[in-house]
Structure formats: C-alpha cells, structure tokens
Amino acid sequence: MDSNSLAMPISDPNAWATAMNNLGMSPMSMTGQPIMSDFDPSLGMMTGIAPMNPMMPGLGIVPPPVSQDMPIVKEIIHCKSCTLFPPNPNLPPPATRERPPGCKTVFVGGLPENATEQLIVEVFEQCGSIIAIRKSKKNFCHIRFAEEHTVDKALFLSGYRIRLGSSTDKKDTGRLHVDFAQARDDLYEWECRQRMLAREERHRRRIEEDRLRPPSPPPIVHFSEHECSQLGEKLKDDSKFAEAVRVLLTWVERGEVNRRNANNIYSMIQSSNSHIRRLMNEKAAHEKEMEEAKEKFKNALAGILVQFEQIVSVFHAASKQKAWDHFSKAQRKNLDMWRKQAEEIRNIHNEELMGIRREEEMEMSDDDMEDQTERPLAQVEALKEENDSLRCQLDAYRNEVELLKQEQGKAQPQRSEEDATRQQQLSFLQQALQGMQKVRTHSQHGIQHKITFLGSEAAAAVVSCSQEKESLPEKGPPSPVKSEREALLVGIISTFLHVHPFGASIEYICSYLQRLDTKISTTEVETLLGRLPCTFKQELTGVGASLEKRWKFCGFEGIKMA
C-alpha cells in the first residue's frame, strides 16, 4: 500500500505536536517529517509548548521549577471517573492557614455531593500513599498521608474544578479547596520525633563531654597487710613513689593507723623521708646541669662578642681615610650603615654578658652578707641576756637599800660603832647601785650600737674612713684628681669602661661624655686618664692599618698595687 494513502489531514498541527510532546515523543507528522524544528530531545519538550501534564500516571504532580516571574500554568487532569479543570491563572492563589508542625493531614472541601471515598482515593492517591480518609456527610473530608512532603503535592490541587464523568449536574461538580489540617496524631508523632532527636543530641553531647573530661584518679584501696607490703615496695621505687605517697597520705588521713599496724606505717613514713636524699641529689644534678649550661652560654656569648669586635674593627679600618677615599658614595653609605648595625648588636650582647656577670656577683655578695649578719645577731642576743641579768641585780640592790632605810628610821639609836658600820654599808650599797646603773646604761648603748651597725654598714664604713683620715698626717702626696669635676669624670668614665671589658677608643669615650657636656675635650679626657695609671690603662689592638689605641678600666687590679 502506498504511504501517501495513509496520510491524514491534520487540521491543527500544533495540537498534534502538543499531544506527542505530552507522550515524551518527538513531534512527527504521519509521513515521518518533523512538525516542529525547535524540539529539544534532551529536555523532552518543545520551545513554546506548555509542559506535559503533571498529573499523568507515573509522573510527579509537582511542576518543574520555573522562574518566579512566570506564573505556574495548571492543565486539565483526566482520571478514570472524573476530570479536573484548572482554575483561572489570573486569579490570586488560594489562601492557606499556617502549617502545623509535622503536618501529614489535609482538609479537602468543595467535593461534589455524589463523590465517593473511591473517587477521593483515585484523585489524591497520585500525590502519595494515603493512610486514612475521614469523609463527612457534608462536602468535605480529611486525608492523612504517610509522608509530610506529599501534603505539598495535595495543595497543588487547590482551586481545581472537579466533574464526575461527563455529567453537568450540580451534584456531580464542585471546586476543590485543599488546606493544612491540624491533627492530634500528626502532632504526637512530631513531638515523639523531636524527643527522639533531643535524646540523640543529648547522647552525642554526653559522649563528647565524656571524651573531653579529664580522667578521674583511681580509687584508693583500704589498708590491709597485703596492700601494706606492696606499698612499702612502691615507696622504694622512684617511678611509683608519687602514687605510693598519695595512698599513704590517704591511709593516715582516714585513720587507718592503730596499734597493730603502727610499726608498718612508721616504716613507710621512714621510707618516704629517705626519699628526700634522692630528691636532693636529683636537685643537685639539675643545678649542676644548669650551671654548666650557664657557663657554656656565657663562653659562647663571649666568643660571639670577640667576633663582633673583630667585625667592628674591620669597619673602623675601612672608615679611615686611606681606604675610605677609594670607595664610591653608595659603598660608603652601606659601610656606614653596616658599621652602626654591628656596633648596636655588639653593645646589646655586651650588656647581656655584663648582666650575667652582675647577677653572679650579686649572688656571691648575698651569700657573704648572710654569713656576716649571722654573727652579729648572736652577739646582740648575748648582750640582751646580759642586760636582763643586770636589770634584775639592780632591782635587788634597790630593794635592799629601801629595807635598810626603813630599819634605820624605826630602830632606836644604838651605839656609835653600829651606826658607823651601817653608814658604811649604806654608802657601799649606794656606790654599787650607781655602778650598776652605769653598767646598764653602757650595755643599752652597746645594743643600740650593734643594731645600728647591722642596719647600715655604709655608715660604719664612712666612720672608719673618717677615723683613718684623722690618724693620717696633714701633709700627704698630691692627689691626681684636682677638682670635683674631674672626680665626676673619673666616675663616669669608670662606669662606661666597666661595661666595655674589651676597652674603648678615646673618641668613643669623648662622644659619650659630650652628650652630657659639650665643653669636654679629647685632650682633657686623655690627660686625666694618663694621670691615673692604677685605674685606667691604654692598650694597642689590631695589626697594620687596623691598629687602634684603647683605654681599659683596671681599677680592680690596680687597687692591689696602689
């Protein structure tokens, strides 16, 4: 048969294309030619044609996501027993109440009077699995679904006009109104689910807290002969001593000590006391390691300072005119900057080294002061005891004098010899009383003098120096320091050179002094240093072009020769 005889007239090709598009097929004519050239097989739809029916069996009723600016286009839904016609798209969307928590039940109103439960199942079963339907004698019902998300699909049917079959009778038609319904079963299931989630959250939080909680100490066992013997062995082991001492302390605090186990407890306490010797040995070993580390650090720092001095000497040699004139301007700038940086770093390390030495000297001086203060304190205690004994004797003599006076006043006049004897005794006692008062006053002055001596050794040193000056003859050798200004300069220069153990040039010293007084000249400073050979000495350092004269402070050695 000829293929042309199968051709059928198509009055509306767009309707034919829409029907084929709803079936998911490429729109073709009866002759096999494509009707629309803009069909997109990847999307399964054509441009300009409404999407396929969302209520077709086997397809989801939720329409595909579209732009918010474009209104959702609802289409006619055909069922076996009825037909659903979409609402006017220009009308506003139907109003809905607030969604209850865990809502699975919907209210469906506007049903036809002749609608049956089978018809309701046929229409709404396409949204999802239905658990129960409660139909009223009126034109509404409540439908409970198995899942919460199926409620949104049921709300999509709100506004549709339903017609049973092809009848146009009023009892066979109605406008559906679908809304959220508040059901006790839904609320109960939602609350149960929330409580379960809360329990799971608390369980997870408790597990996390238990994981982060520090471990609790193990319980302390009660006293027994077996535990006591084991604890005695643990006390002798350095690795288990801390745990064993804690157990021993708990036993003593609990009141586990009695007459039967007192000897065992005493032996364990004695073992704890013997551990002190081990701890002291360990401390001494650590102190030795610390001293060795300090000494090593000090020696390394001194070596670094020597290298810094050599580097600074290189820069000073390069800054002299013999070599300085051959460098370019940029090179001179870099050399000057490098020299300043090297000097700053050298001074910082030098101050650090001197700080370490000062700390060592202060520690040694503190030890000496402790030894010196212990001896005078013992002398002060002895003088206090002597003063107390003298006071007691003085009171006894006073009482005896008072008694003699009373007896002399009450007694009748006796012989002249007895009177003379008593007069001699009275005068003797008065002389002894005056002597005791003088001794007591002298002892009190001695105690005050000792206490004052302990409080200020500097004052005693000044007094001794003044006594030495008085004992010296008036005429002595001329002093190299001629004025108070020169004495101040000597003190400042000594302090400056004391923190520069490797010495400093006269220019460096004068640059420091000229910050204090701009009138100080290099000649004046050099002359003053030359007049004090026991305090300052000049040395030559370097070789060749780097030869430099440096002044050093030698007062600690010069005091032995002076």
Side-chain angles (χ1 to χ4, degrees), residues 57-186:
L59 300 174
I61 69 169
V62 177
V66 295
S67 175
Q68 296 180 357
D69 299 334
M70 296 179 61
I72 300 175
V73 179
K74 297 183 178 181
E75 295 186 351
I76 300 174
I77 301 174
H78 296 280
C79 299
K80 292 180 180 181
S81 304
C82 62
T83 306
L84 300 177
F85 298 93
N88 188 356
N90 297 325
L91 294 177
T96 58
R97 63 184 297 178
E98 186 179 357
R99 182 169 190 157
C103 179
K104 296 181 181 179
T105 306
V106 295
F107 166 81
V108 181
L111 290 172
E113 293 182 10
N114 295 332
T116 61
E117 186 173 339
Q118 184 179 1
L119 177 68
I120 296 171
V121 172
E122 182 182 351
V123 173
F124 287 94
E125 196 174 21
Q126 302 176 18
C127 301
S129 177
I130 296 175
I131 296 177
I133 297 177
R134 295 191 298 273
K135 187 176 182 303
S136 176
K137 295 180 181 180
K138 303 288 184 175
N139 300 334
F140 68 90
C141 69
H142 288 85
I143 304 174
R144 189 163 188 259
F145 294 96
E147 303 292 338
E148 290 186 22
H149 63 88
T150 56
V151 175
D152 298 324
K153 297 181 180 181
L155 289 176
F156 182 76
L157 299 177
S158 183
Y160 270 83
R161 181 175 292 277
I162 184 171
R163 186 173 66 182
L164 302 181
S166 59
S167 175
T168 58
D169 191 5
K170 186 177 181 181
K171 294 183 179 181
D172 295 335
T173 60
R175 184 179 298 276
L176 298 178
H177 174 68
V178 186
D179 197 357
F180 299 108
Q182 189 169 4
R184 286 176 294 181
D185 295 341
D186 298 344

Side-chain angles (χ1 to χ4, degrees), residues 210-226:
D210 293 341
R211 188 177 64 85
L212 298 177
R213 184 183 296 114
S216 58
I220 305 298
V221 297
H222 288 276
F223 178 84
S224 65
E225 296 294 335
H226 176 68

Side-chain angles (χ1 to χ4, degrees), residues 466-507:
S466 62
Q467 291 176 357
E468 289 177 0
K469 289 182 180 179
E470 290 176 359
S471 63
L472 291 174
E474 295 182 358
K475 293 183 180 180
S479 175
V481 181
K482 298 179 181 179
S483 62
E484 185 179 0
R485 184 171 183 273
E486 291 185 354
L488 290 173
L489 285 177
V490 170
I492 295 171
I493 296 170
S494 301
T495 307
F496 179 76
L497 292 179
H498 182 62
V499 298
H500 292 79
F502 299 101
S505 62
I506 191 66
E507 292 83 4

Side-chain angles (χ1 to χ4, degrees), residues 199-215:
R199 283 195 300 269
E200 291 179 357
E201 180 64 26
R202 287 195 299 270
H203 180 66
R204 285 194 297 268
R205 192 182 304 114
R206 192 180 302 111
I207 291 176
E208 186 68 18
E209 290 176 357
D210 293 341
R211 188 177 64 85
L212 298 177
R213 184 183 296 114

Side-chain angles (χ1 to χ4, degrees), residues 109-366:
L111 290 172
E113 293 182 10
N114 295 332
T116 61
E117 186 173 339
Q118 184 179 1
L119 177 68
I120 296 171
V121 172
E122 182 182 351
V123 173
F124 287 94
E125 196 174 21
Q126 302 176 18
C127 301
S129 177
I130 296 175
I131 296 177
I133 297 177
R134 295 191 298 273
K135 187 176 182 303
S136 176
K137 295 180 181 180
K138 303 288 184 175
N139 300 334
F140 68 90
C141 69
H142 288 85
I143 304 174
R144 189 163 188 259
F145 294 96
E147 303 292 338
E148 290 186 22
H149 63 88
T150 56
V151 175
D152 298 324
K153 297 181 180 181
L155 289 176
F156 182 76
L157 299 177
S158 183
Y160 270 83
R161 181 175 292 277
I162 184 171
R163 186 173 66 182
L164 302 181
S166 59
S167 175
T168 58
D169 191 5
K170 186 177 181 181
K171 294 183 179 181
D172 295 335
T173 60
R175 184 179 298 276
L176 298 178
H177 174 68
V178 186
D179 197 357
F180 299 108
Q182 189 169 4
R184 286 176 294 181
D185 295 341
D186 298 344
L187 182 61
Y188 176 73
E189 289 184 2
W190 180 79
E191 289 177 350
C192 291
R193 188 165 59 253
Q194 294 300 317
R195 285 194 292 270
M196 182 184 66
L197 294 175
R199 283 195 300 269
E200 291 179 357
E201 180 64 26
R202 287 195 299 270
H203 180 66
R204 285 194 297 268
R205 192 182 304 114
R206 192 180 302 111
I207 291 176
E208 186 68 18
E209 290 176 357
D210 293 341
R211 188 177 64 85
L212 298 177
R213 184 183 296 114
S216 58
I220 305 298
V221 297
H222 288 276
F223 178 84
S224 65
E225 296 294 335
H226 176 68
E227 295 292 340
C228 181
S229 61
Q230 286 188 348
L231 189 64
E233 296 298 328
K234 289 181 179 179
L235 287 172
K236 298 175 183 178
D237 190 357
D238 292 341
S239 60
K240 300 178 181 178
F241 179 79
E243 179 185 358
V245 165
R246 187 166 59 86
V247 176
L248 178 61
L249 174 63
T250 307
W251 284 354
V252 175
E253 289 179 348
R254 280 179 183 174
E256 301 278 359
V257 184
N258 51 39
R259 289 187 177 180
R260 288 180 299 176
N261 59 13
N263 293 331
N264 295 332
I265 298 294
Y266 176 78
S267 62
M268 288 188 290
I269 295 174
Q270 187 177 8
S271 300
S272 303
N273 184 46
S274 63
H275 189 71
I276 295 176
R277 184 168 58 255
R278 287 178 285 177
L279 293 177
M280 294 302 295
N281 294 334
E282 186 177 353
K283 179 187 175 185
H286 289 305
E287 287 179 351
K288 184 178 179 181
E289 291 178 1
M290 186 177 67
E291 292 297 331
E292 291 177 355
K294 280 185 178 180
E295 189 67 24
K296 185 177 179 181
F297 173 73
K298 187 171 67 174
N299 296 335
L301 191 59
I304 292 172
L305 278 175
V306 171
Q307 296 181 12
F308 271 123
E309 289 292 339
Q310 294 174 353
I311 296 171
V312 172
S313 301
V314 171
F315 284 119
H316 281 299
S319 300
K320 293 186 177 179
Q321 192 170 5
K322 286 193 252 183
W324 189 257
D325 294 339
H326 299 285
F327 295 116
S328 64
K329 188 175 181 180
Q331 291 173 343
R332 292 177 184 177
K333 184 178 180 181
N334 290 335
L335 289 173
D336 193 16
M337 180 179 63
W338 294 339
R339 179 181 59 81
K340 290 180 180 178
Q341 290 178 355
E343 288 179 351
E344 290 177 359
I345 297 173
R346 181 211 42 200
N347 294 336
I348 291 172
H349 285 75
N350 200 353
E351 290 176 1
E352 186 176 358
L353 180 60
M354 295 308 299
I356 294 173
R357 292 177 177 173
R358 281 195 296 269
E359 288 178 0
E360 293 178 353
E361 292 175 359
M362 289 175 64
E363 290 177 358
M364 294 176 63
S365 62
D366 291 341

